[in-house]
Amino acid sequence: FLEAFPRVKAMRDPTRGGIAATLNELALQSGCDLEILEAALPVSEEVRAFCGVTGLEVCNLANEGRMLVFVPEEHKNDALDMLRAHEQGKHAAVIGRAAERSPRPRVLLETDVAKRILPMPSLEQVPRIC
């Protein structure tokens, strides 16, 4: 993947803290706002239902075996095709983009209703069962 896309900006494992923690760390490190589309997150209906019943935030759950990859805009479709060609990447999706630099970088989650700030998780994480 890195040979095909040498201009990868970042790759991260969101296992601990979920994508909320990982994206907030990247926003702070890059100095850019990150805009994420909730509807684009590849989350199964069972997990969405579980979170709806329990009140858990999907973005705070551990994401074992997943990765977040940041590539230049002009390479996103080719990168997505390459990831989806692998069995373990079949659910790969473009979930958002890096926006302009910001003096107070943050992660914005666009839902069906509105855009809201997706904060760094602050409560105890859901324990991993493995």
Side-chain angles (χ1 to χ4, degrees):
F1 187 85
L2 291 175
E3 287 176 16
F5 303 100
R7 292 181 48 217
V8 166
K9 302 292 184 184
M11 294 176 79
R12 293 289 178 92
D13 173 358
T15 299
R16 288 299 200 188
I19 66 169
T22 306
L23 292 173
N24 272 283
E25 289 168 0
L26 282 165
L28 289 173
Q29 291 168 352
S30 69
C32 295
D33 284 347
L34 301 178
E35 298 177 350
I36 307 305
L37 300 170
E38 183 179 52
L41 296 173
V43 178
S44 71
E45 288 305 313
E46 294 85 1
V47 171
R48 284 192 196 277
F50 175 77
C51 288
V53 170
T54 61
L56 295 172
E57 171 68 62
V58 168
C59 295
N60 291 349
L61 297 178
N63 284 270
E64 192 83 29
R66 305 292 186 254
M67 72 176 169
L68 295 171
V69 181
F70 290 77
V71 298
E73 181 80 18
E74 64 269 18
H75 297 298
K76 73 178 180 184
N77 292 328
D78 292 334
L80 190 60
D81 288 344
M82 183 176 227
L83 291 170
R84 285 182 174 167
H86 191 282
E87 174 61 26
Q88 293 181 353
K90 65 184 177 187
H91 297 295
V94 174
I95 64 167
R97 68 182 196 89
E100 299 298 316
R101 289 205 173 270
S102 171
R104 300 182 78 194
R106 59 201 174 160
V107 179
L108 301 168
L109 182 69
E110 186 174 331
T111 69
D112 290 339
V113 179
K115 258 186 201 176
R116 67 177 176 89
I117 294 173
L118 181 63
M120 177 69 85
S122 59
L123 300 175
E124 187 173 320
Q125 297 175 351
V126 175
R128 287 175 43 198
I129 303 171
C130 55

